[in-house]
Amino acid sequence: EEHDISFKQQDGVRFHARDMAVLRAHCQNISVILSSATPSLETVLNCKRGKYNRVDISNRFSKEVKVKMDVIDMRSEEVETEKSISPKLRNLIETSLSQSGQVLLFLNRRGYAPLVVCKTCGTQLSCKFCDTKLVEHKELKCRLCHQCGSDFPLNNYCENCGATEQLKLVGLGVERLLEECKEIFPEKTIKVISSDQLKSKGSLKESLLQIEKGEIDIAIGTQILAKGHNFPYLSLVGIIDGDLGYNSVDLRGTEKTFQIMQQVSGRVGRFKKSGIVAIQSWRPENEIIQAILGGNDEKFWDRELKNRELANVPPYSQFIAMILEGNDLNSLFSWGQKIFTAFNKLSKFEIQIFGPALAPISKIRGKIRVRMLIQCPKNTITKKIFQETMAAIKIPKSQKIIIDVDPQNFL
């Protein structure tokens, strides 16, 4: 899974394990295999430019197995309030179960509800240490910050206005989907597979083994179920929210959404059992779903590469992110401005620097975060140039600067 974002180390010394593997292979004159059903755009472009050799596996493991791709237009479905399974998907689930098939429902949203809102004052419950909203987790009996991991009690009290019994759960998570499935299919064995529910690698292995043996009728999972697993009894994959992530501010948002949907779709039809992939969407005409339905990965990659080239963003240029962390907002902006001024003088290298600006998640673990972003032609700013530019800027010890070459997220 060479495209997987988990290869990028996001804390401490930041590096990309895939790129380090390629560099080491080059230095030692050995081969490296980058394997993926949904390669990163960087790898796709390197293949198109002849830098990498490309080998395609054009057939499924079981050639005779047919997988039907279906999109469910939610605009024409009558779905009950606060429910998520459309009548059409419910019929597909019932048919699959009646034929001794197994169902995988995919929703890449952990917990019960992603938002807790006070109906009296409109306050959205947030983490005390981060600029993020708390996620309701009924299984863990707490409200959890997915940024720093802090947990808060499940009380029904608004600290902003003092109202009680006025908190409303908004949105859908895998635990809420589990509740809905148990109402519809009370006699079936249903289980959620999510990183929150798994206390160890052993418990994940045990859950996967239960699915492989057919002991679970309906598996509900996040991206932890999307990649690399073989489920012999699986006959239906239902993607609950096919639009999730499509309108992300992340420049790789479209690419990541396409990859995860393709990966989860690939769980069905891996053995001799034919299957169906059903995608619920409010915008079935969007390019990601159309590319998946048409089985035209090349068309999607070409379109995405063209969009990136027109915007002159990676992989056609390079990004270097700089994040300042500290306690004094004014001081962070002041030093951020000095960094901007220093790098803005490097006009001969065709660089642009953006910022300083508050990060989209402006506080993590109590520290305020201010971001800057350098955009430049690839391999323009060497380590020597970067160090010489930064040498004149003596960041105070009360602040921490993070340098992230080729950032994978912009939070």
Side-chain angles (χ1 to χ4, degrees), residues 16 60 152 154 161 178 186 189 200 217 300 306 349 365:
H16 203 302
R60 283 180 171 267
F152 302 86
L154 285 178
C161 69
L178 171 66
T189 304
S200 66
D217 298 309
F300 173 82
K306 184 177 181 181
F349 295 109
R365 299 180 182 90

Side-chain angles (χ1 to χ4, degrees), residues 163-257:
T164 58
E165 307 298 325
Q166 292 296 309
L167 297 182
K168 179 178 176 59
L169 304 179
V170 180
L172 176 74
V174 286
E175 291 177 11
R176 199 167 191 165
L177 181 58
L178 171 66
E179 194 175 86
E180 184 179 347
C181 285
K182 285 183 175 179
E183 289 178 12
I184 302 172
F185 308 103
E187 304 299 320
K188 298 300 180 180
T189 304
I190 308 170
K191 187 168 186 177
V192 166
I193 315 293
S194 170
S195 57
D196 300 310
Q197 275 75 29
L198 303 171
K199 296 181 175 62
S200 66
K201 288 184 179 178
S203 60
L204 172 60
K205 188 176 181 180
E206 182 182 344
S207 296
L208 294 175
L209 194 60
Q210 285 181 301
I211 301 174
E212 287 176 18
K213 290 180 177 179
E215 295 172 359
I216 296 173
D217 298 309
I218 303 175
I220 299 171
T222 58
Q223 62 183 351
I224 202 168
L225 277 186
K227 296 165 287 187
H229 306 303
N230 294 304
F231 303 136
Y233 299 96
L234 191 64
S235 59
L236 171 65
V237 168
I239 298 176
I240 298 301
D241 190 348
D243 305 313
L244 187 61
Y246 181 68
N247 292 316
S248 169
V249 295
D250 183 353
L251 87 91
R252 295 182 177 87
T254 303
E255 177 187 0
K256 290 174 184 175
T257 301

Side-chain angles (χ1 to χ4, degrees), residues 109-318:
R109 214 186 257 133
R110 292 150 55 198
Y112 187 86
L115 204 60
V116 186
V117 181
C118 176
K119 292 189 286 184
T120 301
C121 67
T123 297
Q124 299 176 0
L125 271 58
S126 301
C127 177
K128 294 179 180 178
F129 313 107
C130 304
D131 181 28
T132 52
K133 308 305 177 188
L134 294 178
V135 178
E136 183 97 357
H137 284 258
K138 285 194 172 182
E139 287 285 325
L140 300 176
K141 297 180 173 60
C142 68
R143 294 188 181 112
L144 192 64
C145 172
H146 285 179
Q147 196 62 51
C148 71
S150 298
D151 59 271
F152 302 86
L154 285 178
N155 56 39
N156 209 343
Y157 169 77
C158 177
E159 294 185 0
N160 182 62
C161 69
T164 58
E165 307 298 325
Q166 292 296 309
L167 297 182
K168 179 178 176 59
L169 304 179
V170 180
L172 176 74
V174 286
E175 291 177 11
R176 199 167 191 165
L177 181 58
L178 171 66
E179 194 175 86
E180 184 179 347
C181 285
K182 285 183 175 179
E183 289 178 12
I184 302 172
F185 308 103
E187 304 299 320
K188 298 300 180 180
T189 304
I190 308 170
K191 187 168 186 177
V192 166
I193 315 293
S194 170
S195 57
D196 300 310
Q197 275 75 29
L198 303 171
K199 296 181 175 62
S200 66
K201 288 184 179 178
S203 60
L204 172 60
K205 188 176 181 180
E206 182 182 344
S207 296
L208 294 175
L209 194 60
Q210 285 181 301
I211 301 174
E212 287 176 18
K213 290 180 177 179
E215 295 172 359
I216 296 173
D217 298 309
I218 303 175
I220 299 171
T222 58
Q223 62 183 351
I224 202 168
L225 277 186
K227 296 165 287 187
H229 306 303
N230 294 304
F231 303 136
Y233 299 96
L234 191 64
S235 59
L236 171 65
V237 168
I239 298 176
I240 298 301
D241 190 348
D243 305 313
L244 187 61
Y246 181 68
N247 292 316
S248 169
V249 295
D250 183 353
L251 87 91
R252 295 182 177 87
T254 303
E255 177 187 0
K256 290 174 184 175
T257 301
F258 177 76
Q259 288 167 341
I260 194 69
M261 289 178 68
Q262 282 283 59
Q263 290 282 342
V264 74
S265 298
R267 294 316 96 212
V268 73
R270 296 174 72 85
F271 290 83
K272 293 183 178 181
K273 198 175 188 69
S274 298
I276 298 173
V277 176
I279 305 170
Q280 290 190 161
S281 173
W282 294 92
R283 290 183 58 199
E285 68 278 0
N286 81 56
E287 60 186 17
I288 296 174
I289 292 175
Q290 288 303 311
I292 292 171
L293 291 176
N296 199 334
D297 294 11
E298 293 291 339
K299 186 176 180 180
F300 173 82
W301 291 332
D302 288 344
R303 185 191 299 114
E304 189 65 12
L305 283 170
K306 184 177 181 181
N307 291 339
R308 298 275 190 93
E309 186 175 21
L310 288 171
N312 191 32
V313 295
Y316 293 96
S317 66
Q318 185 170 46

